[in-house]
Amino acid sequence: MESIGWNKSKKIRRSVWKGDFMNKYNIIKKHIDSIDYYGLLSGGAPNDEFDNESRTIAGLISTESTVEDIASIIANVFEKSFGNTENAKDYLNIATKIRDELSGERK
């Protein structure tokens, strides 16, 4: 994963990962939808607009994923889906929220 110079490498709690893909997916979907990329959801797009991206991100995040890894994964998935060049640093905040919720540290 691309190093973006911000190291908060707390690992995600393993119990979330034991066959509970849907739990992981739902957490990620909530946070990805909150980004509302291009304002699609607020502009009337269906609630499932970012489901493919959320599913892909959920499949790529592992128990070893750091905040930086998650931000990079989000940037790469959006880049592939929408064809824009994305900077992982732009996703550090949402990546932190995802990692914290997956690790059981809701803030």
Side-chain angles (χ1 to χ4, degrees):
M1 289 289 143
E2 169 189 345
S3 175
I4 53 181
W6 187 71
N7 188 11
K8 190 171 182 182
S9 61
K10 192 180 301 179
K11 303 300 184 218
I12 297 168
R13 178 180 51 149
R14 290 192 186 276
S15 63
V16 170
W17 306 95
K18 293 184 179 177
D20 198 0
F21 180 83
M22 285 309 293
N23 183 50
K24 181 169 66 163
Y25 164 77
N26 287 328
I27 289 169
I28 291 166
K29 176 180 171 35
K30 173 179 71 174
H31 292 291
I32 294 301
D33 285 356
S34 76
I35 295 171
D36 196 11
Y37 198 79
Y38 281 134
L40 295 175
L41 295 174
S42 61
N47 189 40
D48 66 353
E49 184 66 32
F50 301 111
D51 284 6
N52 286 335
E53 290 78 14
S54 297
R55 201 172 292 110
T56 300
I57 292 164
L60 293 171
I61 293 174
S62 76
T63 58
E64 301 303 313
S65 295
T66 64
V67 168
E68 295 84 2
D69 295 336
I70 295 169
S72 248
I73 289 167
I74 293 168
N76 290 333
V77 168
F78 279 168
E79 191 168 305
K80 288 178 183 167
S81 291
F82 297 102
N84 297 322
T85 301
E86 299 292 334
N87 186 332
K89 289 180 183 179
D90 295 336
Y91 298 102
L92 286 172
N93 185 43
I94 202 74
T96 299
K97 290 177 183 180
I98 289 170
R99 196 281 325 276
D100 286 349
E101 190 164 346
L102 288 173
S103 66
E105 295 182 20
R106 296 184 183 171
K107 295 184 179 185

XYZ file of all heavy atoms in Angstrom:
852
model
N 0.827 -1.176 0.000
C 0.000 0.000 0.000
C 0.877 1.247 0.000
O 1.951 1.258 0.566
C -0.876 0.032 1.249
C -1.978 -0.983 1.291
S -3.236 -0.552 0.106
C -3.659 -2.174 -0.436
N 0.387 2.301 -0.581
C 1.072 3.581 -0.638
C 1.253 4.128 0.772
O 0.341 4.134 1.572
C 0.218 4.534 -1.470
C 0.645 5.957 -1.419
C -0.375 6.862 -2.075
O -1.245 6.390 -2.791
O -0.260 8.065 -1.825
N 2.448 4.570 1.059
C 2.700 5.193 2.357
C 2.366 6.672 2.252
O 2.813 7.343 1.337
C 4.163 5.016 2.747
O 4.415 5.711 3.932
N 1.561 7.156 3.178
C 1.159 8.556 3.108
C 1.628 9.337 4.319
O 1.147 10.416 4.582
C -0.364 8.670 2.910
C -1.111 7.886 3.960
C -0.741 8.246 1.524
C -2.602 7.936 3.830
N 2.592 8.781 5.050
C 3.260 9.529 6.084
C 2.480 9.767 7.362
O 2.845 10.613 8.151
N 1.415 9.056 7.575
C 0.634 9.238 8.786
C 0.445 7.863 9.374
O -0.226 7.027 8.796
C -0.709 9.876 8.450
C -1.521 10.255 9.626
C -1.278 11.261 10.486
C -2.740 9.649 10.048
N -2.262 11.324 11.433
C -3.178 10.332 11.179
C -3.510 8.588 9.592
C -4.335 10.003 11.855
C -4.658 8.269 10.258
C -5.055 8.978 11.375
N 1.044 7.583 10.515
C 1.061 6.222 11.027
C 0.188 6.072 12.258
O 0.549 6.489 13.331
C 2.501 5.797 11.341
C 2.580 4.337 11.690
O 1.630 3.596 11.512
N 3.721 3.923 12.176
N -0.955 5.470 12.034
C -1.831 5.104 13.150
C -2.187 3.643 12.874
O -3.192 3.343 12.267
C -3.071 5.990 13.175
C -3.886 5.825 14.425
C -4.987 6.862 14.514
C -5.741 6.690 15.804
N -6.831 7.632 15.923
N -1.329 2.751 13.306
C -1.373 1.386 12.822
C -2.109 0.407 13.734
O -1.828 -0.779 13.718
C 0.051 0.882 12.585
O 0.772 0.914 13.792
N -3.059 0.885 14.500
C -3.843 -0.012 15.340
C -4.541 -1.055 14.470
O -5.097 -0.740 13.437
C -4.880 0.781 16.121
C -5.543 -0.015 17.214
C -6.557 0.815 17.957
C -5.880 2.022 18.563
N -6.795 2.893 19.270
N -4.508 -2.269 14.878
C -5.105 -3.348 14.092
C -6.585 -3.503 14.410
O -7.047 -3.174 15.489
C -4.387 -4.675 14.373
C -2.908 -4.635 14.106
C -2.588 -4.305 12.683
C -1.100 -4.364 12.451
N -0.578 -3.391 11.592
N -7.305 -4.017 13.455
C -8.745 -4.209 13.600
C -9.013 -5.484 14.395
O -8.371 -6.511 14.181
C -9.404 -4.274 12.208
C -9.196 -2.934 11.500
C -10.868 -4.619 12.302
C -9.533 -2.932 10.049
N -9.952 -5.400 15.311
C -10.323 -6.523 16.164
C -10.692 -7.741 15.301
O -11.507 -7.650 14.408
C -11.516 -6.086 17.020
C -12.069 -7.110 17.921
C -13.224 -6.527 18.672
N -14.135 -5.909 17.706
C -15.427 -5.829 17.850
N -15.993 -6.273 18.928
N -16.180 -5.278 16.939
N -10.095 -8.859 15.579
C -10.300 -10.055 14.775
C -11.722 -10.596 14.844
O -12.208 -11.180 13.891
C -9.312 -11.148 15.185
C -7.906 -10.818 14.794
C -6.985 -12.021 14.945
N -5.617 -11.641 14.699
C -5.063 -11.566 13.508
N -5.760 -11.825 12.443
N -3.799 -11.227 13.377
N -12.440 -10.395 15.930
C -13.779 -10.979 16.053
C -14.735 -10.442 14.995
O -15.683 -11.118 14.616
C -14.352 -10.738 17.450
O -14.502 -9.363 17.688
N -14.491 -9.234 14.495
C -15.349 -8.680 13.443
C -15.200 -9.484 12.163
O -16.108 -9.544 11.351
C -14.982 -7.194 13.192
C -15.673 -6.648 11.963
C -15.329 -6.360 14.409
N -14.069 -10.135 11.994
C -13.738 -10.761 10.721
C -14.130 -12.227 10.623
O -14.051 -12.801 9.553
C -12.240 -10.632 10.484
C -11.825 -9.222 10.577
C -11.333 -8.602 11.676
C -11.923 -8.233 9.574
N -11.095 -7.284 11.407
C -11.444 -7.034 10.119
C -12.361 -8.254 8.257
C -11.391 -5.865 9.401
C -12.300 -7.078 7.541
C -11.825 -5.910 8.109
N -14.536 -12.819 11.695
C -14.805 -14.259 11.684
C -16.100 -14.552 10.958
O -17.138 -14.746 11.565
C -14.830 -14.796 13.112
C -13.478 -14.733 13.760
C -13.490 -15.359 15.124
C -12.091 -15.289 15.704
N -12.031 -15.799 17.049
N -16.027 -14.571 9.638
C -17.179 -14.932 8.822
C -18.272 -13.886 8.795
O -19.369 -14.158 8.347
N -18.010 -12.687 9.260
C -19.054 -11.687 9.328
C -18.824 -10.593 8.283
O -18.717 -9.418 8.602
C -19.124 -11.094 10.730
C -20.446 -10.382 10.988
O -21.298 -10.351 10.099
O -20.586 -9.839 12.082
N -18.790 -11.003 7.020
C -18.579 -10.062 5.930
C -19.664 -8.993 5.893
O -19.380 -7.825 5.662
C -18.508 -10.795 4.583
C -18.300 -9.866 3.429
C -17.026 -9.432 3.107
C -19.369 -9.410 2.671
C -16.825 -8.546 2.047
C -19.176 -8.533 1.613
C -17.896 -8.103 1.301
N -20.912 -9.390 6.135
C -22.011 -8.429 6.049
C -21.884 -7.335 7.107
O -22.182 -6.177 6.837
C -23.372 -9.116 6.145
C -23.766 -9.853 4.875
S -23.641 -8.856 3.354
C -24.924 -7.652 3.627
N -21.434 -7.679 8.301
C -21.214 -6.661 9.327
C -20.142 -5.683 8.862
O -20.315 -4.471 8.956
C -20.830 -7.310 10.654
C -20.669 -6.286 11.760
O -21.525 -5.443 11.977
N -19.546 -6.365 12.451
N -19.047 -6.218 8.356
C -17.965 -5.375 7.855
C -18.468 -4.510 6.697
O -18.231 -3.301 6.663
C -16.780 -6.242 7.416
C -15.607 -5.431 6.892
C -14.345 -6.250 6.706
C -14.446 -7.289 5.646
N -13.133 -7.799 5.210
N -19.173 -5.118 5.773
C -19.728 -4.403 4.620
C -20.661 -3.268 5.076
O -20.573 -2.147 4.573
C -20.464 -5.374 3.702
C -21.374 -4.683 2.731
C -20.867 -4.054 1.596
C -22.745 -4.632 2.952
C -21.706 -3.395 0.719
C -23.588 -3.981 2.077
C -23.067 -3.364 0.960
O -23.898 -2.706 0.096
N -21.551 -3.542 6.022
C -22.506 -2.524 6.482
C -21.804 -1.335 7.136
O -22.216 -0.184 6.943
C -23.547 -3.132 7.427
C -24.541 -3.991 6.695
O -24.874 -3.744 5.534
N -25.025 -5.029 7.353
N -20.763 -1.599 7.893
C -19.982 -0.517 8.496
C -19.326 0.314 7.403
O -19.391 1.549 7.408
C -18.928 -1.091 9.479
C -19.626 -1.646 10.727
C -17.876 -0.025 9.842
C -18.722 -2.471 11.628
N -18.704 -0.350 6.455
C -18.022 0.356 5.373
C -19.024 1.115 4.515
O -18.806 2.288 4.179
C -17.182 -0.630 4.542
C -16.002 -1.106 5.406
C -16.715 0.001 3.233
C -15.274 -2.293 4.875
N -20.151 0.501 4.182
C -21.178 1.157 3.363
C -21.655 2.448 4.018
O -21.790 3.477 3.358
C -22.359 0.226 3.115
C -23.502 0.903 2.350
C -24.655 -0.009 2.110
C -25.876 0.677 1.553
N -25.686 1.776 0.618
N -21.895 2.395 5.316
C -22.361 3.584 6.038
C -21.378 4.744 5.859
O -21.776 5.873 5.565
C -22.541 3.254 7.524
C -22.866 4.464 8.392
C -23.068 4.092 9.841
C -21.759 3.715 10.483
N -21.869 3.471 11.918
N -20.104 4.453 5.989
C -19.095 5.503 5.900
C -18.830 5.930 4.455
O -18.628 7.118 4.190
C -17.820 5.071 6.608
C -18.002 4.956 8.088
N -18.197 6.056 8.903
C -18.061 3.871 8.902
C -18.349 5.656 10.155
N -18.269 4.332 10.176
N -18.855 4.989 3.532
C -18.671 5.335 2.118
C -19.853 6.171 1.635
O -19.673 7.178 0.943
C -18.478 4.073 1.250
C -17.152 3.373 1.613
C -18.547 4.407 -0.242
C -15.904 4.224 1.447
N -21.062 5.795 2.015
C -22.242 6.594 1.644
C -22.155 8.003 2.220
O -22.614 8.960 1.598
C -23.531 5.919 2.112
C -23.935 4.726 1.267
O -23.268 4.441 0.242
O -24.926 4.059 1.632
N -21.561 8.141 3.408
C -21.467 9.472 4.030
C -20.555 10.407 3.228
O -20.706 11.626 3.309
C -20.989 9.365 5.477
O -19.602 9.104 5.542
N -19.633 9.844 2.465
C -18.782 10.662 1.599
C -19.634 11.302 0.503
O -19.404 12.427 0.105
C -17.656 9.819 0.959
C -16.693 9.290 2.018
C -16.897 10.629 -0.089
C -15.690 8.279 1.482
N -20.627 10.550 0.018
C -21.525 10.992 -1.061
C -20.731 11.562 -2.234
O -20.913 12.700 -2.649
C -22.557 11.996 -0.548
C -23.718 12.165 -1.529
O -23.832 11.364 -2.483
O -24.506 13.104 -1.351
N -19.859 10.733 -2.757
C -18.990 11.076 -3.879
C -19.801 11.728 -4.986
O -20.831 11.209 -5.403
C -18.309 9.796 -4.369
C -17.090 10.010 -5.206
C -15.871 10.320 -4.618
C -17.147 9.898 -6.583
C -14.739 10.493 -5.384
C -16.014 10.075 -7.356
C -14.812 10.378 -6.754
O -13.687 10.553 -7.514
N -19.347 12.867 -5.456
C -20.023 13.661 -6.506
C -21.405 14.141 -6.095
O -22.162 14.605 -6.940
C -20.167 12.865 -7.799
C -18.951 12.779 -8.661
C -18.561 11.568 -9.209
C -18.183 13.894 -8.956
C -17.447 11.464 -10.022
C -17.070 13.800 -9.761
C -16.707 12.591 -10.294
O -15.606 12.499 -11.098
N -21.819 13.957 -4.836
C -23.153 14.371 -4.414
C -24.253 13.545 -5.059
O -25.388 13.994 -5.190
N -23.905 12.319 -5.424
C -24.868 11.472 -6.134
C -26.082 11.123 -5.275
O -27.216 11.173 -5.760
C -24.185 10.194 -6.634
C -23.103 10.399 -7.696
C -22.411 9.081 -8.011
C -23.691 11.018 -8.950
N -25.853 10.760 -4.015
C -26.974 10.377 -3.154
C -27.871 11.580 -2.862
O -29.097 11.474 -2.941
C -26.475 9.738 -1.857
C -25.747 8.405 -2.028
C -25.161 7.944 -0.697
C -26.659 7.344 -2.605
N -27.251 12.697 -2.543
C -28.060 13.890 -2.262
C -28.753 14.404 -3.520
O -29.746 15.119 -3.435
C -27.214 14.988 -1.629
O -26.173 15.388 -2.503
N -28.244 14.013 -4.680
C -28.845 14.410 -5.945
C -29.932 13.468 -6.424
O -30.452 13.628 -7.526
N -30.266 12.454 -5.619
C -31.368 11.566 -5.958
C -30.981 10.180 -6.449
O -31.860 9.397 -6.823
N -29.695 9.854 -6.446
C -29.284 8.511 -6.852
C -29.840 7.489 -5.855
O -30.079 7.816 -4.694
C -27.766 8.414 -6.893
N -30.042 6.251 -6.301
C -30.566 5.224 -5.389
C -29.604 4.934 -4.237
O -28.394 5.144 -4.354
C -30.731 3.996 -6.281
C -29.971 4.270 -7.518
C -29.798 5.751 -7.635
N -30.145 4.468 -3.129
C -29.378 4.167 -1.929
C -28.251 3.165 -2.174
O -27.289 3.119 -1.420
C -30.315 3.654 -0.831
C -29.617 3.543 0.497
O -28.826 4.401 0.856
N -29.913 2.490 1.227
N -28.362 2.367 -3.225
C -27.336 1.360 -3.505
C -26.244 1.874 -4.444
O -25.435 1.099 -4.951
C -27.967 0.090 -4.059
C -28.607 0.271 -5.430
O -28.693 1.415 -5.931
O -29.039 -0.749 -6.004
N -26.181 3.178 -4.655
C -25.248 3.787 -5.613
C -23.800 3.361 -5.386
O -23.062 3.117 -6.326
C -25.349 5.308 -5.559
C -24.496 6.013 -6.580
C -24.928 5.756 -8.010
O -26.138 5.567 -8.262
O -24.050 5.732 -8.894
N -23.373 3.273 -4.137
C -21.977 2.950 -3.831
C -21.807 1.535 -3.272
O -20.768 1.226 -2.681
C -21.407 3.982 -2.847
C -21.473 5.387 -3.374
C -22.333 6.309 -2.793
C -20.701 5.784 -4.443
C -22.414 7.600 -3.269
C -20.770 7.081 -4.941
C -21.635 7.991 -4.349
N -22.806 0.687 -3.467
C -22.729 -0.675 -2.922
C -21.578 -1.473 -3.523
O -20.899 -2.208 -2.800
C -24.043 -1.427 -3.124
C -25.128 -0.979 -2.157
O -24.904 -0.009 -1.398
O -26.211 -1.592 -2.170
N -21.341 -1.351 -4.824
C -20.239 -2.102 -5.438
C -18.896 -1.666 -4.868
O -18.036 -2.502 -4.573
C -20.246 -1.943 -6.958
C -21.358 -2.725 -7.602
O -21.838 -3.709 -7.062
N -21.778 -2.282 -8.775
N -18.729 -0.362 -4.714
C -17.488 0.142 -4.136
C -17.336 -0.319 -2.687
O -16.255 -0.758 -2.285
C -17.443 1.681 -4.213
C -17.277 2.223 -5.611
C -18.553 2.223 -6.457
O -19.660 2.047 -5.888
O -18.447 2.396 -7.669
N -18.412 -0.244 -1.918
C -18.365 -0.677 -0.519
C -18.042 -2.162 -0.413
O -17.252 -2.574 0.448
C -19.697 -0.383 0.173
O -19.936 1.003 0.205
N -18.624 -2.958 -1.292
C -18.377 -4.407 -1.303
C -16.914 -4.694 -1.644
O -16.263 -5.531 -1.013
C -19.313 -5.081 -2.306
C -19.529 -6.552 -2.076
C -20.626 -7.119 -2.981
N -21.941 -6.591 -2.631
C -22.654 -5.718 -3.385
N -22.193 -5.291 -4.533
N -23.832 -5.299 -2.988
N -16.398 -3.986 -2.637
C -14.999 -4.175 -3.029
C -14.064 -3.787 -1.899
O -13.120 -4.517 -1.570
C -14.688 -3.344 -4.295
O -15.549 -3.775 -5.353
C -13.241 -3.502 -4.709
N -14.321 -2.645 -1.280
C -13.488 -2.175 -0.161
C -13.544 -3.179 0.987
O -12.512 -3.535 1.562
C -13.930 -0.767 0.283
C -13.611 0.249 -0.818
C -13.275 -0.384 1.614
C -14.320 1.579 -0.674
N -14.729 -3.675 1.305
C -14.882 -4.665 2.388
C -14.070 -5.923 2.093
O -13.494 -6.518 3.006
C -16.352 -5.015 2.594
N -14.005 -6.306 0.833
C -13.230 -7.488 0.458
C -11.724 -7.274 0.521
O -10.968 -8.239 0.632
N -11.292 -6.031 0.445
C -9.856 -5.735 0.427
C -9.281 -5.395 1.801
O -8.082 -5.515 2.016
C -9.587 -4.575 -0.536
C -9.847 -4.869 -2.009
C -9.764 -3.591 -2.837
C -8.884 -5.925 -2.528
N -10.121 -4.968 2.720
C -9.652 -4.621 4.061
C -9.499 -5.904 4.879
O -10.383 -6.745 4.891
C -10.631 -3.653 4.751
C -10.632 -2.307 4.031
C -10.267 -3.471 6.221
C -11.674 -1.340 4.562
N -8.364 -6.010 5.552
C -8.112 -7.188 6.386
C -7.857 -6.763 7.822
O -7.798 -5.575 8.139
C -6.891 -7.953 5.857
O -5.704 -7.268 6.219
N -7.663 -7.748 8.676
C -7.376 -7.465 10.081
C -6.061 -6.724 10.245
O -5.848 -6.086 11.268
C -7.319 -8.758 10.915
O -6.326 -9.613 10.362
C -8.658 -9.459 10.948
N -5.202 -6.810 9.274
C -3.906 -6.146 9.339
C -3.936 -4.744 8.731
O -2.926 -4.041 8.756
C -2.848 -6.991 8.627
C -2.688 -8.388 9.204
C -2.344 -8.359 10.690
O -1.447 -7.596 11.087
O -2.992 -9.087 11.461
N -5.067 -4.323 8.198
C -5.161 -3.025 7.526
C -5.024 -1.874 8.516
O -5.709 -1.821 9.533
C -6.500 -2.896 6.800
O -6.605 -3.837 5.765
N -4.141 -0.958 8.199
C -3.969 0.256 8.979
C -4.883 1.337 8.395
O -5.475 1.159 7.324
C -2.513 0.743 8.916
O -2.210 1.089 7.566
C -1.540 -0.307 9.435
N -4.957 2.456 9.068
C -5.720 3.600 8.547
C -5.190 3.976 7.166
O -5.958 4.239 6.241
C -5.639 4.799 9.522
C -6.166 6.063 8.883
C -6.401 4.487 10.802
N -3.877 3.990 7.021
C -3.272 4.346 5.742
C -3.664 3.350 4.651
O -3.942 3.750 3.511
C -1.748 4.406 5.858
C -1.242 5.496 6.762
C -1.225 5.091 8.236
O -1.569 3.943 8.591
O -0.875 5.960 9.058
N -3.659 2.061 4.993
C -4.060 1.030 4.034
C -5.500 1.245 3.594
O -5.819 1.168 2.401
C -3.954 -0.376 4.647
C -2.534 -0.792 4.982
O -1.579 -0.254 4.379
O -2.386 -1.661 5.870
N -6.377 1.488 4.548
C -7.800 1.666 4.250
C -8.006 2.901 3.375
O -8.753 2.860 2.396
C -8.634 1.726 5.544
C -8.560 0.382 6.285
C -10.090 2.095 5.237
C -9.125 0.410 7.702
N -7.319 3.997 3.697
C -7.423 5.214 2.876
C -6.953 4.955 1.454
O -7.572 5.409 0.483
C -6.614 6.344 3.521
N -5.879 4.206 1.315
C -5.359 3.855 -0.007
C -6.338 2.975 -0.782
O -6.542 3.171 -1.985
C -4.045 3.093 0.136
O -2.983 3.838 -0.327
N -6.927 2.021 -0.090
C -7.912 1.136 -0.718
C -9.098 1.953 -1.212
O -9.548 1.784 -2.355
C -8.349 0.023 0.260
C -7.206 -0.974 0.469
C -9.610 -0.675 -0.237
C -7.402 -1.923 1.644
N -9.611 2.843 -0.382
C -10.755 3.675 -0.784
C -10.386 4.505 -2.016
O -11.139 4.547 -2.995
C -11.211 4.579 0.374
C -11.785 3.736 1.516
C -12.251 5.594 -0.110
C -11.990 4.505 2.814
N -9.232 5.166 -1.976
C -8.794 5.995 -3.108
C -8.668 5.169 -4.380
O -9.130 5.586 -5.450
C -7.473 6.683 -2.773
N -8.080 3.989 -4.284
C -7.899 3.128 -5.456
C -9.230 2.648 -6.017
O -9.417 2.607 -7.241
C -7.004 1.935 -5.127
C -5.569 2.343 -4.905
O -5.103 3.342 -5.439
N -4.848 1.571 -4.102
N -10.149 2.271 -5.143
C -11.454 1.794 -5.601
C -12.221 2.921 -6.281
O -12.796 2.735 -7.365
C -12.266 1.178 -4.436
C -13.718 0.944 -4.826
C -11.622 -0.136 -3.982
N -12.229 4.106 -5.684
C -12.910 5.248 -6.312
C -12.249 5.627 -7.634
O -12.926 5.969 -8.596
C -12.960 6.442 -5.372
C -14.059 6.374 -4.351
C -14.073 7.250 -3.288
C -15.085 5.459 -4.437
C -15.089 7.222 -2.336
C -16.101 5.405 -3.497
C -16.106 6.293 -2.449
N -10.931 5.557 -7.669
C -10.213 5.880 -8.897
C -10.616 4.929 -10.025
O -10.879 5.366 -11.143
C -8.709 5.810 -8.637
C -7.867 6.373 -9.751
C -6.421 6.542 -9.337
O -6.144 7.214 -8.329
O -5.563 5.976 -10.044
N -10.690 3.652 -9.708
C -11.083 2.663 -10.722
C -12.547 2.797 -11.110
O -12.911 2.630 -12.266
C -10.783 1.253 -10.232
C -9.302 0.958 -10.221
C -8.985 -0.415 -9.684
C -7.472 -0.574 -9.646
N -7.042 -1.706 -8.880
N -13.397 3.122 -10.147
C -14.829 3.220 -10.428
C -15.197 4.481 -11.202
O -16.089 4.448 -12.048
C -15.633 3.206 -9.125
O -15.558 1.943 -8.516
N -14.540 5.588 -10.891
C -14.965 6.872 -11.443
C -13.947 7.508 -12.380
O -14.232 8.535 -12.994
C -15.315 7.838 -10.308
C -16.467 7.352 -9.486
C -16.257 6.753 -8.253
C -17.766 7.448 -9.959
C -17.319 6.288 -7.493
C -18.835 6.973 -9.212
C -18.614 6.397 -7.977
N -12.754 6.906 -12.494
C -11.774 7.378 -13.459
C -11.039 8.655 -13.086
O -10.380 9.253 -13.916
N -11.149 9.075 -11.840
C -10.431 10.263 -11.377
C -9.181 9.850 -10.625
O -9.134 8.776 -10.033
C -11.308 11.088 -10.427
C -12.541 11.614 -11.103
O -12.503 11.998 -12.263
N -13.645 11.629 -10.385
N -8.187 10.709 -10.629
C -7.013 10.472 -9.807
C -7.371 10.872 -8.384
O -7.832 11.983 -8.141
C -5.821 11.302 -10.305
O -5.557 10.935 -11.660
C -4.584 11.059 -9.456
N -7.205 9.951 -7.455
C -7.572 10.174 -6.053
C -6.321 10.171 -5.183
O -5.371 9.455 -5.455
C -8.525 9.080 -5.567
C -9.839 9.012 -6.325
C -10.731 10.219 -6.089
O -10.608 10.861 -5.028
O -11.532 10.522 -6.980
N -6.346 10.963 -4.126
C -5.254 11.030 -3.173
C -5.705 10.346 -1.883
O -6.704 10.753 -1.283
C -4.890 12.491 -2.909
C -3.663 12.639 -2.040
O -3.342 11.785 -1.229
N -2.968 13.747 -2.215
N -4.967 9.347 -1.455
C -5.334 8.601 -0.253
C -5.452 9.507 0.971
O -6.272 9.250 1.857
C -4.325 7.488 0.007
N -4.676 10.577 1.017
C -4.736 11.498 2.167
C -6.131 12.086 2.337
O -6.533 12.412 3.455
C -3.717 12.621 2.007
C -2.294 12.167 2.167
C -1.335 13.321 2.003
C 0.102 12.831 2.096
N 1.053 13.920 1.910
N -6.861 12.217 1.237
C -8.216 12.767 1.310
C -9.186 11.838 2.031
O -10.280 12.263 2.399
C -8.753 13.055 -0.094
C -7.974 14.146 -0.801
O -7.348 14.985 -0.115
O -7.984 14.156 -2.050
N -8.791 10.591 2.222
C -9.677 9.600 2.824
C -9.226 9.150 4.208
O -9.773 8.199 4.767
C -9.826 8.396 1.883
C -10.447 8.806 0.576
C -9.677 8.985 -0.559
C -11.814 9.053 0.499
C -10.248 9.393 -1.749
C -12.400 9.463 -0.692
C -11.614 9.630 -1.810
O -12.188 10.047 -2.980
N -8.241 9.834 4.786
C -7.752 9.440 6.112
C -8.833 9.558 7.184
O -8.938 8.688 8.054
C -6.532 10.267 6.504
C -5.237 9.903 5.791
C -4.151 10.918 6.129
C -4.798 8.497 6.154
N -9.631 10.594 7.138
C -10.669 10.780 8.145
C -11.691 9.645 8.097
O -12.024 9.041 9.125
C -11.355 12.138 7.946
C -12.361 12.432 9.031
O -12.104 12.193 10.207
N -13.505 12.969 8.654
N -12.184 9.340 6.920
C -13.185 8.272 6.788
C -12.547 6.910 7.083
O -13.187 6.037 7.673
C -13.876 8.323 5.400
C -15.226 7.623 5.456
C -13.033 7.737 4.310
C -16.271 8.406 6.164
N -11.289 6.739 6.702
C -10.582 5.480 6.985
C -10.432 5.282 8.491
O -10.568 4.162 8.994
C -9.217 5.475 6.309
N -10.168 6.355 9.209
C -10.061 6.277 10.672
C -11.398 5.863 11.270
O -11.451 5.010 12.165
C -9.600 7.628 11.252
O -8.309 7.937 10.718
C -9.525 7.579 12.768
N -12.475 6.452 10.794
C -13.805 6.093 11.296
C -14.114 4.626 11.022
O -14.657 3.928 11.887
C -14.869 6.989 10.659
C -14.798 8.416 11.134
C -15.826 9.275 10.432
C -15.709 10.729 10.867
N -16.699 11.574 10.200
N -13.793 4.150 9.831
C -14.031 2.740 9.485
C -13.208 1.842 10.389
O -13.724 0.904 10.994
C -13.711 2.481 7.995
C -14.765 3.151 7.110
C -13.626 0.981 7.714
C -14.417 3.172 5.640
N -11.903 2.112 10.488
C -11.027 1.282 11.312
C -11.475 1.282 12.768
O -11.540 0.238 13.417
C -9.592 1.794 11.200
C -8.479 0.860 11.676
C -8.239 0.779 13.164
N -8.441 2.008 13.879
C -7.566 2.986 14.019
N -6.376 2.918 13.502
N -7.889 4.075 14.710
N -11.843 2.466 13.295
C -12.271 2.551 14.684
C -13.550 1.754 14.924
O -13.671 1.051 15.928
C -12.473 4.002 15.118
C -11.160 4.741 15.323
O -10.096 4.093 15.334
O -11.210 5.974 15.461
N -14.503 1.856 14.013
C -15.746 1.110 14.214
C -15.523 -0.391 14.059
O -16.072 -1.181 14.824
C -16.833 1.598 13.252
C -18.177 1.012 13.618
C -19.344 1.712 12.993
O -19.202 2.836 12.461
O -20.444 1.106 13.038
N -14.701 -0.782 13.110
C -14.400 -2.213 12.956
C -13.644 -2.759 14.159
O -13.777 -3.926 14.495
C -13.605 -2.465 11.676
C -14.381 -2.330 10.379
C -13.440 -2.432 9.189
C -15.501 -3.356 10.285
N -12.858 -1.913 14.795
C -12.102 -2.382 15.960
C -12.887 -2.217 17.256
O -12.386 -2.524 18.328
C -10.756 -1.636 16.046
O -10.957 -0.276 16.313
N -14.106 -1.718 17.150
C -14.957 -1.590 18.325
C -14.766 -0.297 19.082
O -15.256 -0.165 20.202
N -14.083 0.661 18.492
C -13.821 1.938 19.159
C -14.677 3.024 18.520
O -14.167 3.917 17.865
C -12.357 2.316 19.041
C -11.450 1.376 19.769
C -10.018 1.808 19.657
O -9.762 2.989 19.365
O -9.163 0.961 19.855
N -15.967 2.962 18.708
C -16.856 3.959 18.132
C -16.631 5.296 18.797
O -16.588 5.382 20.014
C -18.303 3.533 18.267
C -18.534 2.285 17.464
C -19.940 1.883 17.473
N -20.017 0.633 16.723
C -21.059 -0.106 16.657
N -22.141 0.233 17.289
N -21.061 -1.205 15.945
N -16.524 6.318 17.967
C -16.284 7.675 18.500
C -17.338 8.598 17.979
O -17.903 8.440 16.976
C -14.900 8.151 18.080
C -13.843 7.296 18.725
C -12.477 7.795 18.411
C -11.460 6.902 19.103
N -10.140 7.296 18.992
